[in-house]
C-alpha cells in the first residue's frame, strides 16, 4: 500500500540531508517518517478514487435536466463534446453515440 500524506507537512530525513513539502494526497517518500495521524487511511484513499459506477441518464425536462447534468453524463460515457455545445446538442451527440435512445 502506498503511504499518502493526509495534511500539509514538511518532512526532513533522519540525517537532515533531504527536505520536502507534502500536500494532502502526496505520496510519502521512503526516507520520510510521518506519524500515523498524518497519513491517509484506506477509507480516505478509496473516497478520493474516481467513481467507476456510470452516471445515470439525466432527465430530459424539469429538475436535473440542465446543461451541466448532460455534460457530466456525456463525459462519463466518453462522448466527444465541444465547449460551445448546448444541452440539446449534447443530447443529440449522446443519441448519435448510442449511449441514450432517441425516444427519450
Amino acid at each position: 500500500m502506498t503511504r499518502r500524506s493526509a495534511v500539509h507537512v514538511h518532512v526532513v530525513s533522519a540525517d537532515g540531508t533531504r527536505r520536502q513539502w507534502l500536500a494532502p494526497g502526496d505520496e510519502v517518500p521512503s526516507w520520510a517518517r510521518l506519524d500515523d495521524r498524518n497519513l491517509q487511511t484506506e477509507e480516505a484513499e478509496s473516497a478520493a478514487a474516481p467513481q467507476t459506477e456510470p452516471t445515470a441518464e439525466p432527465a430530459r425536462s424539469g429538475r436535473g435536466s440542465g446543461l451541466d447534468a448532460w455534460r457530466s453524463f456525456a463525459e462519463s460515457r466518453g462522448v466527444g463534446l465541444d465547449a460551445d455545445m448546448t444541452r440539446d446538442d449534447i443530447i443529440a451527440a449522446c443519441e448519435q453515440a448510442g449511449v441514450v435512445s432517441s425516444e427519450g
Side-chain angles (χ1 to χ4, degrees):
M1 181 176 93
T2 303
R3 297 178 336 135
R4 297 197 177 275
S5 175
V7 296
H8 287 279
V9 63
H10 184 252
V11 292
V12 180
S13 64
D15 62 5
T17 60
R18 296 181 185 172
R19 299 168 185 269
Q20 184 175 342
W21 279 100
L22 300 176
D26 285 351
E27 186 173 336
V28 178
S30 60
W31 53 263
R33 301 290 175 249
L34 284 182
D35 193 292
D36 285 345
R37 65 183 175 198
N38 294 327
L39 295 173
Q40 284 185 350
T41 63
E42 288 182 31
E43 289 175 6
E45 287 180 21
S46 61
Q51 276 188 321
T52 55
E53 188 175 308
T55 307
E57 178 181 336
R60 299 220 181 186
S61 63
R63 177 174 270 170
S65 66
L67 175 65
D68 291 339
W70 275 98
R71 181 172 295 282
S72 178
F73 171 76
E75 289 172 347
S76 75
R77 299 299 171 101
V79 177
L81 304 177
D82 293 328
D84 60 342
M85 291 177 90
T86 66
R87 182 186 72 93
D88 291 337
D89 293 337
I90 293 172
I91 292 172
C94 289
E95 290 172 352
Q96 187 171 6
V99 297
V100 297
S101 75
S102 59
E103 297 173 6

